[in-house]
Amino acid sequence: MKIIAHRGASGYAPENTLKAFRLAVEMGSKDFEFDVHRTKDGILVVHHDYDLKHTAGQDVKIADLDYAELKKHNIAAHFRDKQVQHVPRLEEVQR
């Protein structure tokens, strides 16, 4: 059986965060599905939606923010334990 982590271990950690991807690896996943977007300053980041409505509760588009501005948003705001997580750069997820 092949296990593919959708947005990381998104049932156990905020989706598309480094925490979710690390946990998925610990749980045995070797394959991942995620979406990539480009910030205003050209940085490739991993996030499902083109905006932060669902994850951070903010009506702002990733393409309208530079990476430094994007890092100010907590994309785990919707998650049950209210931890703080940020949108990761693609290169961080590929490690």
Side-chain angles (χ1 to χ4, degrees), residues 1-11 20-21 24-25 27-34:
M1 178 187 328
K2 188 172 197 165
I3 299 171
I4 300 173
H6 183 242
R7 303 180 199 174
S10 58
F21 292 122
V25 169
M27 296 171 86
S29 183
K30 293 181 173 53
D31 296 297
F32 298 85
E33 180 280 330
F34 55 81

Side-chain angles (χ1 to χ4, degrees), residues 12-94:
Y12 303 93
E15 65 185 62
N16 288 315
T17 60
L18 292 178
K19 182 174 183 173
F21 292 122
R22 284 186 193 115
L23 185 55
V25 169
E26 290 172 14
M27 296 171 86
S29 183
K30 293 181 173 53
D31 296 297
F32 298 85
E33 180 280 330
F34 55 81
D35 300 289
V36 177
H37 298 275
R38 187 181 309 271
T39 62
K40 185 169 68 174
D41 54 345
I43 304 296
L44 296 177
V45 297
V46 175
H47 193 267
H48 179 68
D49 301 318
Y50 66 91
D51 62 32
L52 302 179
K53 285 181 195 173
H54 169 69
T55 56
Q58 303 292 315
D59 190 12
V60 62
K61 294 180 179 140
I62 291 172
D64 292 340
L65 300 172
D66 62 36
Y67 188 69
E69 294 168 325
L70 181 59
K71 289 274 298 188
K72 295 177 184 176
H73 295 273
N74 177 15
I75 61 163
H78 69 292
F79 205 71
R80 60 184 162 266
D81 64 2
K82 304 297 182 203
Q83 57 190 282
V84 176
Q85 294 286 313
H86 305 284
V87 175
R89 297 168 71 121
L90 177 61
E91 61 210 34
E92 293 175 298
V93 174
Q94 292 177 310

